[in-house]
Each structure stands twice: as C-alpha cells, then as structure tokens.
C-alpha cells in the first residue's frame, strides 16, 4: 500500500461561507473525510502548513511548501497538495524549480467549488490526484485537474468557473485519470535524486503592453524590482511609435543591471522576436531575454528562482535558457546581422 501525504494549503476546495464570502476554513483531515475511499486504497497522512485563499499566495509560501515536502520526503511515496486554483500554475512552476528532479510525484489539485457542496468537482479531483500520485510511473511536479495531468511548468488557468479550468500550453497532457486508472500519454525516465532549493527573489514584476503605454509606467517599477516580464503583442516586440522611448527605457534597465524578459499575451505558440523589426530591436537594442514558449507564469517564477542565486545579467540569461521540466520548448539563437 502506497504511503502518501496530503499537504493542505487552503483554496476553494477547503472553503466555507463567511460573512464576506467564501474563505478557506476546512482543515486537511476534513478534506480527507469527504473522500473516505482513499483510506482503503492508500496509507494517507495529512499536514496543514498554510490556509490561504490562493490570491494571497506569496513566494515565501512556495518555499514553505517545498520545505514541508523536504521534511517528509523520505517517509512517503508521493505528495498531494490541495491548493486554490487562481495561483496554482505559479505554485506548480515554483515547485518545479524548488524541488527539482524529484523521483517521487508531487501533485497539485484543487476545485472550482468547495468540497462541502453537493455538485463539487473537489472529491473527484482529490481522488484523481491520489490515484496519479500512487502510480508507479509518476514522478516530478504535476497538476491533476478535471482528469488531466499537466506538467508543472506548462499549466495555465483558462476558465474562471468551469471544471476544465486548466490547460496544458504548447505541451500535451502527460496522462488522463479515469475511474481510478491512469492512462499515460508520455513516459519519461525517473530521476534518481531530488535537489531542493530554499530561496526565491520576489522582486519580479509583469507589465502587459497596451497600445500607447507610456514609458514612465515602466520606469516607475525600475527602483522596486530586479526583473521585469513584458507581455508583448503577437510574436513579440516593443513599439517604436513613441519615438523609441519605451525601447530606451528597457535598455536603461539592462544598463542598471536589471533583467527584462519578453513574452507574449497570446496563450499559444510563444514568441519569435527575430521575425519583425520591433522584435529584433528589442533583442539587439533592448537586450531583452526572450521567453519563447515559456508561459508568463513560469517565466516570472523562473526569474525569481534564478535571481535568488545569480545577480549578473549574463549569468541570469544563461540560466533562463537552460530547460527545466519542459519549461522551455523552443530555443533558437536569431541570426541578426
């Protein structure tokens, strides 16, 4: 019988109705009590390091979850983390870096409705997560939601209310879970030993380009953060219709020893900065790092992880372009003469 640990962190799955709306209130043992068949299938223990609406999740909380996994790692065959859906993609990406190369499965799940409601998806999602965590071929960080298994660095929340809240972006789901069976699409060699990390630099911000965005809005962030992720249009670029003011501002970040990464607002197929002049100038004059097919959530979290270890801009660039857990699927050096 597999020995599994539930790590409860709050979220909608554990919510109760309060005076001002839903908020986390149910503990880890209460969640397990709503899925009684688990105790006949697995040896399950539970801990509760956090109880948060996932809107309130912060980088130090990701470190806390990773530390909880580290403390219990040798005693269990796998881990299931119950989590709010709103920032689950960020946490899954963070754990992919904080607990790297894990030969044991680390599975995040949650729900669009509380486990105490009659028509909830919580009981099925929790059951499916334990099924996948117990499978002999499972390892590493994944999200299990609505029967789909998504690699931790490839998930995005794409629906606010429907049960199929998450999609795997530019990478196929690893498996499906149906009626307690794992139907696996992708098999990978199991790593031998995990590597744990203990720090994240939270000083990373995101700016979503809008037509006519004043450069001063970006400048206002320069003294507050160490890195900026710019969500550009289409395949990516920086506008020149402002006389190059925004491009000059981005170059100023680089000259100040700060990092700017460029990604796209488009959900699928990633960036290609070498295609258009506005993209090439961002590379050559702005010195930006290109995110390619990396999701914005993963780009933000990877920079937080790297900046906790590297401060030199070129060293950060090199680490950013080193693929981890399928975070970077397309990488090409543009030929710019």
């Amino acid at each position: 019988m597999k020995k599994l640990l539930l790590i409860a962190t709050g979220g909608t799955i554990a919510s109760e109705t309060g005076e001002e709306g839903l908020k986390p209130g149910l503990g880890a043992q209460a969640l397990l009590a709503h899925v009684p068949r688990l105790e006949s299938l697995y040896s399950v223990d539970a801990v509760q390091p956090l109880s948060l609406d996932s809107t309130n999740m912060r980088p130090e909380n990701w470190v806390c979850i990773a530390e909880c996994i580290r403390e219990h790692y040798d005693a269990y065959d796998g881990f299931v983390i119950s989590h709010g859906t709103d920032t689950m993609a960020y946490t899954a990406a963070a754990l992919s870096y904080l607990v790297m190369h894990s030969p044991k499965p680390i599975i995040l799940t949650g729900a669009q409705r509380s486990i105490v409601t009659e028509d909830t998806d919580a009981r099925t999602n929790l059951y499916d997560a334990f099924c996948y965590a117990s499978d002999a071929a499972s390892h590493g960080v994944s999200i299990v939601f609505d029967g789909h298994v998504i690699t931790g660095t490839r998930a995005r929340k794409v629906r606010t209310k429907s049960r199929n809240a998450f999609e795997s972006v530019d990478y196929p789901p690893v498996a499906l879970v149906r009626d307690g069976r794992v139907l696996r699409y992708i098999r990978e060699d199991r790593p031998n030993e995990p590597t744990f990390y203990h720090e994240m630099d939270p000083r990373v911000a995101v700016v979503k380009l809008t037509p006519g965005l004043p450069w001063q809005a970006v400048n206002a962030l320069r003294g507050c953060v160490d890195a900026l992720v710019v969500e550009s249009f289409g395949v990516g670029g920086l506008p020149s219709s402002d006389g190059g003011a925004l491009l000059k501002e981005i170059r100023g970040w680089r000259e100040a020893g700060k990092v700017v990464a460029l990604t796209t607002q488009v959900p699928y197929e990633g960036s290609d900065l070498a295609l258009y002049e506005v993209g090439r100038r961002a590379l050559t004059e702005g010195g930006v790092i290109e995110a390619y097919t990396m999701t914005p959530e993963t780009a933000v979290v990877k920079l937080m992880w790297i900046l906790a270890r590297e401060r030199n801009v070129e060293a950060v660039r090199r680490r950013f372009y080193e693929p981890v857990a399928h975070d970077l699927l397309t990488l090409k050096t543009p030929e710019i003469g």
Side-chain angles (χ1 to χ4, degrees):
M1 183 178 286
K2 288 293 183 74
K3 190 174 183 182
L4 305 174
L5 181 66
L6 173 64
I7 301 174
T9 68
T12 296
I13 190 172
S15 286
E16 297 176 310
T17 302
E19 293 182 0
E20 298 181 349
L22 288 170
K23 63 178 182 179
L26 298 174
Q29 292 295 341
L31 292 179
L32 291 176
H34 282 277
V35 195
R37 56 180 166 167
L38 290 174
E39 66 180 23
S40 66
L41 298 171
Y42 318 110
S43 173
V44 181
D45 293 325
V47 293
Q48 179 101 37
L50 303 168
S51 183
L52 297 173
D53 185 306
S54 72
T55 297
N56 292 322
M57 193 68 66
R58 298 171 58 88
E60 57 262 36
N61 301 133
W62 303 334
V63 174
C64 172
I65 296 169
E67 182 63 18
C68 182
I69 295 169
R70 188 195 65 78
E71 290 175 359
H72 296 92
Y73 197 83
D74 292 340
Y76 293 90
D77 300 308
F79 305 87
V80 173
I81 301 166
S82 59
H83 194 287
T85 59
D86 288 349
T87 59
M88 188 186 294
Y90 286 96
T91 300
L95 292 177
S96 299
Y97 302 113
L98 290 169
V99 191
M100 203 178 291
H101 311 304
S102 173
K104 297 180 181 181
I106 299 167
I107 312 303
L108 292 93
T109 195
Q112 294 286 62
R113 296 197 177 189
S114 171
I115 203 166
V116 301
T117 61
E118 184 176 350
D119 59 344
T120 183
D121 54 339
R123 291 184 285 274
T124 298
N125 285 347
L126 197 59
Y127 176 71
D128 287 349
F130 275 96
C131 288
Y132 188 73
S134 69
D135 188 80
S138 298
H139 59 83
V141 178
S142 302
I143 287 176
V144 173
F145 210 95
D146 192 42
H148 291 78
V149 183
I150 302 172
T151 296
T153 60
R154 304 309 316 175
R156 293 203 80 182
K157 186 175 181 181
V158 297
R159 297 174 183 87
T160 59
K161 297 179 181 179
S162 300
R163 294 188 178 213
N164 55 338
F166 289 89
E167 289 186 4
S168 185
V169 176
D170 289 330
Y171 192 78
V174 176
L176 296 177
V177 183
R178 291 290 185 268
D179 299 322
R181 296 179 58 208
V182 175
L183 309 175
R184 193 172 295 275
Y185 295 142
I186 298 174
R187 291 183 179 272
E188 296 180 318
D189 293 336
R190 184 186 302 277
N192 293 321
E193 194 72 27
T195 302
F196 287 91
Y197 296 90
H198 310 285
E199 292 179 288
M200 301 288 276
D201 183 345
R203 290 166 56 87
V204 179
V206 178
V207 168
K208 184 173 183 175
L209 284 189
T210 55
L213 178 75
W215 66 269
Q216 292 92 340
V218 177
N219 177 264
L221 289 169
R222 201 198 293 185
C224 305
V225 298
D226 299 320
L228 184 71
V229 176
V230 178
E231 291 190 16
S232 186
F233 312 117
V235 293
L238 292 171
S240 57
S241 56
D242 59 355
L246 183 57
L247 181 61
K248 181 179 178 181
E249 171 61 29
I250 295 300
R251 186 167 63 244
W253 281 65
R254 175 66 183 270
E255 292 168 353
K258 296 178 182 288
V259 176
V260 178
L262 209 65
T263 182
T264 174
Q265 300 171 23
V266 181
Y268 290 93
E269 300 179 354
S271 64
D272 187 355
L273 295 183
L275 188 59
Y276 292 96
E277 180 187 22
V278 290
R280 286 178 172 240
R281 291 187 67 188
L283 287 168
T284 58
E285 298 178 36
V288 302
I289 298 173
E290 183 170 2
Y292 294 101
T293 53
M294 192 178 295
T295 67
E297 293 91 340
T298 296
V300 167
V301 171
K302 189 171 190 178
L303 284 174
M304 290 182 177
W305 174 71
I306 294 171
L307 286 166
R309 283 148 202 87
E310 303 280 2
R311 306 307 300 183
N312 177 270
V313 173
E314 287 307 314
V316 172
R317 180 187 297 269
R318 287 193 298 270
R319 293 292 291 270
F320 191 82
Y321 286 149
E322 294 174 0
V324 176
H326 307 295
D327 62 355
L328 194 60
L329 306 177
T330 302
L331 176 62
K332 60 182 179 181
T333 303
E335 296 179 2
I336 300 175

